[in-house]
Amino acid sequence: MPHPPIDPKSVAGKTPEVERHLQLLVIGAGPAGIAAAAEAAERGLEVLLVDENPVDGALIGMDVPLHFGGRATAAVNTPGRLLETFLEARPELAELFDKGVEVLLQTTVWGLFANAPGVQWMPGPVAGLADTDRSWLVGFDKVIVAAGRRDLGMSFPGWDLPGVMGVTAAHRLISAYDAFAGRRLLILGTGAEALDLALTALGRGLEVAGLIEVADQPVGPAELVEAVKAHGVPVLTGHVIKAATGTVEGVTTATLVKVDSSLSPVPGSERDIACDTVALGIGTVPNIELLAALDAKLAHDPDRGGHVPVTDADGRTALPFAYAVGDCAGIHAAKSVDPAVARQEGRVAAIAVAASLDKAAEGDVTAARAGLAQPVQGGGDHRMTWLKALLNTGGLDVLVCQCEEVSRGELLDISPPRYLERVSNKMGTRSLTTLLEDGPVNQDQVKRLTRAGMGLCQGRRCREQVAMLLALSSRIDVGQVPLASYRPPVRPLPLKVLWPQDEAAVVRQEWDSWFGIESQWVPWWDIPAGGAKQG
């Protein structure tokens, strides 16, 4: 029988090389990731732990992976010094080397991939890794994702000034990098993460001008609230920030305003607070980018920070080779207050992985599960309360997306970004109202129409706020707004790093057939050699 013809323009023979294969890949060197790597290594598994910290100074300038807000010192541009400081802050990493764990720091996992109906070339699950010089692929049997969290962005006039940042980013600069440029912080929110930042800053000799809370009472653990108050730090409830003002160098003043029972500003209640940093501690968000791009099953859970992976008691996702632990698997106060909670999640997942590879008994997994903490239910409306108060106070002209310069009003009007200077009669007839007539609001569609969320920070500062605004205006629960897509690379990477340095000559053949094609449905055999089909 004659062999079937081979399409020279297909991917056959052109797939990238997978450099190596290992039993377990652990992503993230926080409490959960370190505990998982240690437990797995002790049970005889080959373990690679990868963490992007310390993050390159250029990424920090783009607010990736956290909202650093221009408050990093020049120390972030000296990688050697930064690495030394980071290792001093994480002494348990040194113990991993003794256990035989291979640790790669300053290395990004920019994608996780697995074979699916449209992709079958991979030998198994694969991760894309990159450092400052190159990118490469590694295969693995199992992966434990412990990617941590980031901060919920909330906009107000002046939130694009240097000095407005997230509490997680501030904590990273203060305690892990020793590279924080501020001296006097005002913290928005009284959750566990906000209170923890206040105590950390005070312990480093920094000033905390106060904590601001829209609710009538602080919402975080009572013992942390009392610890903050014991330092003489004011906790101002029933207030929001009206505006941040300052110079090109950053924030100098935050104006606060009292809100009434309808969350509207009370006239004449404004007060000014001197500060050089405004830390957003209204909420934190699980880092689910890798899991979402991998197409793991997700669910919206307001008690755990928003969209989280659906997992079993061992942290196993709907994909049998992938586990999620730590803050990326869901955030709650107990976990934020006590790192031992995340460590236990990491241990349980590692023991479950070991059991699946015949390196542990099922009884070991059952015993480890007994120590897992459960989130306290309730409090899911707290973030929306903040949004309503800030919306009533700041209005629709406030930027919701800094990168693409999209205001709240332009987002809800579904307007093209102002810098395009483009007026379309067809677009002029479209709005959120007309989109709703077509069916449930789709965040990806809104992103394409307005460009909100398409900037350098990859939507990290605005994505959740955009979803909340769409939900509020559509009179639906925020969990009903479809999650905007995540796609690899989940971190901005320069082309000099991403380009395949080992590209085979066959890859360069026929490449031009992919460009300039009038219709994607033109079969390859009808495309003239050297270019697109001529009309």
Side-chain angles (χ1 to χ4, degrees), residues 152-166:
L152 173 72
M154 281 285 183
S155 59
F156 48 84
W159 87 301
D160 52 342
L161 284 171
V164 179
M165 65 187 309

Side-chain angles (χ1 to χ4, degrees), residues 139-460:
F140 54 85
D141 293 330
K142 306 286 183 179
V143 61
I144 296 177
V145 181
R149 71 187 187 218
R150 58 183 172 81
D151 299 300
L152 173 72
M154 281 285 183
S155 59
F156 48 84
W159 87 301
D160 52 342
L161 284 171
V164 179
M165 65 187 309
V167 294
T168 305
H171 201 284
R172 182 73 50 82
L173 291 179
I174 293 170
S175 60
Y177 291 179
D178 191 20
F180 179 61
R183 292 297 309 168
R184 182 174 167 84
L185 301 86
L186 179 72
I187 302 175
L188 305 185
T190 56
E193 298 83 11
L195 295 164
D196 181 55
L197 173 62
L199 295 172
T200 299
L202 292 165
R204 292 298 183 98
L206 300 172
E207 296 180 61
V208 178
L211 279 79
I212 312 305
E213 177 56 60
V214 69
D216 293 334
Q217 297 293 329
V219 300
E223 62 273 19
L224 292 186
V225 175
E226 293 307 314
V228 169
K229 288 182 176 179
H231 285 274
V233 176
V235 178
L236 198 61
T237 58
H239 283 72
V240 296
I241 186 169
K242 182 177 181 180
T245 53
T247 67
V248 292
E249 296 182 354
V251 173
T252 58
T253 305
T255 301
L256 311 179
V257 64
K258 185 175 178 60
V259 292
D260 60 22
S261 59
S262 65
L263 301 177
S264 297
V266 177
S269 64
E270 294 85 354
R271 65 171 73 182
D272 291 338
I273 302 291
C275 59
D276 57 32
T277 302
V278 177
L280 297 171
I282 297 167
T284 50
V285 181
N287 277 332
I288 58 167
E289 296 100 323
L290 287 168
L291 295 164
L294 185 60
D295 204 24
K297 186 177 181 181
L298 304 172
H300 187 266
D301 186 344
D303 291 320
R304 294 195 292 151
H307 283 91
V308 293
V310 176
T311 63
D312 64 13
D314 301 331
R316 185 186 293 107
T317 70
L319 302 169
F321 60 85
Y323 295 71
V325 297
D327 284 339
C328 78
I331 303 165
H332 55 87
K335 194 186 297 187
S336 296
V337 171
D338 185 3
V341 176
R343 292 191 190 102
Q344 186 65 13
E345 289 183 5
R347 287 189 63 251
V348 170
I351 296 171
V353 167
S356 71
L357 298 175
D358 297 324
K359 297 286 187 178
E362 188 60 36
D364 296 339
V365 184
T366 303
R369 286 186 201 133
L372 291 174
Q374 299 300 318
V376 177
Q377 301 298 308
D381 293 331
H382 181 65
R383 302 178 184 200
M384 191 61 80
T385 302
W386 265 99
L387 178 64
K388 291 176 181 176
L390 290 172
L391 191 60
N392 291 340
T393 302
L396 294 177
D397 292 334
V398 176
L399 291 181
V400 65
C401 175
Q402 295 183 29
C403 295
E404 299 295 326
E405 301 177 17
V406 181
S407 70
R408 294 167 176 165
E410 288 165 335
L411 173 80
L412 299 179
D413 287 341
I414 315 298
S415 302
R418 64 191 74 171
Y419 62 80
L420 291 181
E421 298 181 355
R422 182 173 181 270
V423 177
S424 166
N425 291 333
K426 185 176 182 180
M427 279 295 298
T429 65
R430 299 293 275 167
S431 66
L432 184 58
T433 301
T434 61
L435 288 183
L436 288 171
E437 292 173 355
D438 299 335
V441 63
N442 185 295
Q443 195 172 348
D444 273 338
Q445 183 182 18
V446 172
K447 181 168 73 172
R448 294 186 183 99
L449 293 172
T450 67
R451 294 192 62 84
M454 295 184 72
L456 291 174
C457 80
Q458 296 180 314
R460 288 177 174 84

Side-chain angles (χ1 to χ4, degrees), residues 51 74 99 106 139 153 213 220 373 376 401 450 479 482 493 525:
D51 192 279
K99 296 178 185 294
Q106 297 177 313
E213 177 56 60
V376 177
C401 175
T450 67
L493 294 176
W525 51 84

